[in-house]
Amino acid sequence: MLMGVVAGLMGLALGVFGMLAFSASERARRRTIDVREPALPDGSAEVLSVVGKAFIVMDIVDGVVRASPGAYAYGLVRGHTVVHQELVDLAQRVRRDGVIEERDLVLPRGALPGAATPGEPGAGAGTVATGGAGGVGPGTMVVQVRVAPLGEEYILLLADDRTEIARTEAVRNDFVANVSHELKTPVGAISLLAEALEASPDDEVAVRRFASRMITESARLAALVQDIIELSRLQSKDLGQAGTEVDMNAVITEAVDRSRLPALSKNINLAVGPAIPAPVYGDRSQLVTALRNLIDNAVRYSPENTQVGVGLQVSDGVVSVSVSDQGDGMSPEDQERVFERFYRVDSARSRHTGGTGLGLSIVKHIVGNHGGEVTLWSAPRTGSTFTVRLPKLTEVTNDGGPDLPAAVEPRPNPRSYRA
């Protein structure tokens, strides 16, 4: 009996001791794993909320403590990881040296880590060269990055998407280079022809031949300068202030009349479709210029004794004007680039016909200024059809009340179109 009581007391003591030991172990374990939540320096969260740029806050192991929605939208952060190794390298360098760094980087847009092809922008340290943005392709973006220490534990990375600015700079540089080259050709030709005239004053046949060439080169130079002036004027005009209601039937009539002389010289028939109500909002002179460029382009590249058609349609709140020719057509590669400034499908033929390489670029610019789009359908040995699509202008009424100001109908989603 006594032995049973002693054994029970010993068991109870061991149980109590075990419980006490377990409780002490749990308290020790909780103390061991109790890691405080990352806390930014006082006031930094408020500043970051109004900074106006995408930001990333990185800890000492390069993990993302906090990031703005813009950082995720740019594809700089995925989960709690910085996607691009270039940004991680910058953060590590700033953490090591304590010196603020600022760079312009060309990074793949939304690519998975390591997905960039070697040699492509973003595959390595894609720093943009000063004064240019070459290599900024459709799958890449230019990001201006500023990296600085934030307190004692964190690194702050500020990012600003500069892709459009870089592309605009690249286009401007290319435009200046191309203009210089294009102007040099007719100016040089006129200079040589003038020297030839001076050297043969008594040769009437030679004088007439050289004078005729000078007239041709002068006309080409004048056309190029006029196109450059037109582009400059388009970029400075505000359609929101200068626009009015424009009847596209009148625009087509004027554009066709201006193109009749070159069409007659090649015996090309300009066939115009029936007139229908088609009001748009914009600048009449600009729209006439766009349509005339398309018609002149069709006439220039059409064989003699053929037809150029101009048609007008209105559907789903969109006014469409199509210009079709029976020329040689274009390859898919040429169709992708035909709206670029100074691009010519056939450079030798363009020089012979007097093309400047700016006509279709002007068309695209004008149509874009009017909230529309210009599309192209073409096939080799079949011909080409350029279609200008603009928002239709409609009168909005107030249930029997006075007419409200004219409004532009919303443009539907772009779709492929063939006249």
Side-chain angles (χ1 to χ4, degrees):
M1 181 70 179
L2 181 61
M3 291 295 293
V5 173
V6 171
L9 291 174
M10 290 181 63
L12 179 62
L14 289 173
V16 171
F17 178 77
M19 291 177 62
L20 292 174
F22 177 77
S23 177
S25 174
E26 282 295 301
R27 288 196 298 270
R29 188 175 67 86
R30 284 196 296 267
R31 284 196 300 270
T32 302
I33 65 174
D34 182 21
V35 179
R36 62 186 177 87
E37 288 294 323
L40 301 180
D42 293 340
S44 59
E46 289 77 6
V47 173
L48 290 175
S49 66
V50 297
V51 74
K53 294 184 180 181
F55 68 83
I56 305 170
V57 178
M58 303 170 63
D59 59 20
I60 58 175
V61 293
D62 298 327
V64 177
V65 175
R66 185 171 300 183
S68 67
Y72 287 94
Y74 292 164
L76 305 179
V77 176
R78 186 170 290 108
H80 293 281
T81 305
V82 176
V83 172
H84 304 287
Q85 186 60 39
E86 295 93 332
L87 302 180
V88 176
D89 293 341
L90 274 175
Q92 292 175 348
R93 196 155 55 241
V94 170
R95 184 182 297 111
R96 182 191 65 214
D97 302 335
V99 179
I100 297 175
E101 293 205 24
E102 186 169 341
R103 297 288 174 85
D104 285 354
L105 300 176
V106 179
L107 302 173
R109 186 182 293 275
L112 294 173
T117 303
E120 290 182 350
T127 304
V128 180
T130 303
V136 185
T140 60
M141 63 178 176
V142 177
V143 182
Q144 186 181 65
V145 179
R146 184 176 177 86
V147 186
L150 182 63
E152 297 181 357
E153 302 180 44
Y154 304 108
I155 295 294
L156 173 63
L157 187 150
L158 297 175
D160 190 17
D161 189 353
R162 314 278 290 180
T163 306
E164 289 305 315
I165 296 175
R167 285 177 179 165
T168 300
E169 180 71 16
V171 169
R172 185 179 69 177
N173 291 339
D174 290 343
F175 180 69
V176 171
N178 286 330
V179 165
S180 301
H181 173 75
E182 294 292 332
L183 287 175
K184 183 169 63 176
T185 302
V187 169
I190 292 172
S191 176
L192 290 174
L193 290 168
E195 292 178 4
L197 276 175
E198 185 180 26
S200 54
D202 299 328
D203 189 342
E204 183 177 349
V205 175
V207 168
R208 290 183 179 276
R209 184 172 72 252
F210 294 146
S212 176
R213 287 288 307 277
M214 287 183 70
I215 292 173
T216 301
E217 294 295 336
S218 298
R220 180 181 162 203
L221 180 60
L224 179 59
V225 171
Q226 182 60 41
D227 281 350
I228 295 171
I229 293 173
E230 183 69 25
L231 274 177
S232 176
R233 186 173 67 88
L234 290 175
Q235 293 170 348
S236 63
K237 196 161 189 176
D238 183 5
L239 287 178
Q241 300 294 330
T244 59
E245 180 178 346
V246 179
D247 180 10
M248 287 304 296
N249 295 283
V251 170
I252 292 173
T253 299
E254 184 174 347
V256 168
D257 286 342
R258 292 190 182 186
S259 304
R260 286 200 183 279
L261 188 59
L264 287 173
S265 67
K266 299 178 67 174
N267 196 28
I268 291 176
N269 177 41
L270 297 180
V272 182
I276 58 175
V280 300
Y281 179 83
D283 184 288
R284 177 189 169 110
S285 64
Q286 287 191 17
L287 292 172
V288 169
T289 298
L291 263 295
R292 180 177 56 82
N293 281 351
L294 287 179
I295 297 170
D296 283 348
N297 190 72
V299 170
R300 182 177 294 117
Y301 293 103
S302 291
E304 295 183 355
N305 306 313
T306 57
Q307 177 174 286
V308 170
V310 183
L312 178 63
Q313 288 184 343
V314 178
S315 176
D316 298 329
V318 176
V319 175
S320 301
V321 183
S322 300
V323 179
S324 303
D325 63 54
Q326 299 172 339
D328 294 334
M330 283 177 270
S331 67
E333 295 78 11
D334 288 328
Q335 293 179 46
E336 292 179 0
R337 300 191 57 192
V338 73
F339 291 102
E340 295 179 11
R341 294 174 179 177
F342 296 109
Y343 181 78
R344 296 184 176 93
V345 175
D346 185 340
S347 298
R349 186 179 179 187
S350 296
R351 294 182 186 280
H352 176 71
T353 57
T356 64
L358 288 174
L360 293 180
S361 177
I362 290 174
V363 171
K364 184 177 180 179
H365 202 120
I366 291 174
V367 175
N369 282 354
H370 285 75
E373 64 180 2
V374 55
T375 58
L376 166 63
W377 177 91
S378 185
R381 297 179 300 279
T382 303
S384 303
T385 297
F386 288 87
T387 302
V388 172
R389 305 175 73 245
L390 300 169
K392 180 186 176 184
L393 189 68
T394 58
E395 290 292 336
V396 181
T397 59
N398 189 18
D399 296 330
D403 286 348
L404 298 177
V408 177
E409 291 186 357
R411 194 178 107 190
N413 291 330
R415 63 179 184 270
S416 59
Y417 179 87
R418 177 182 173 184

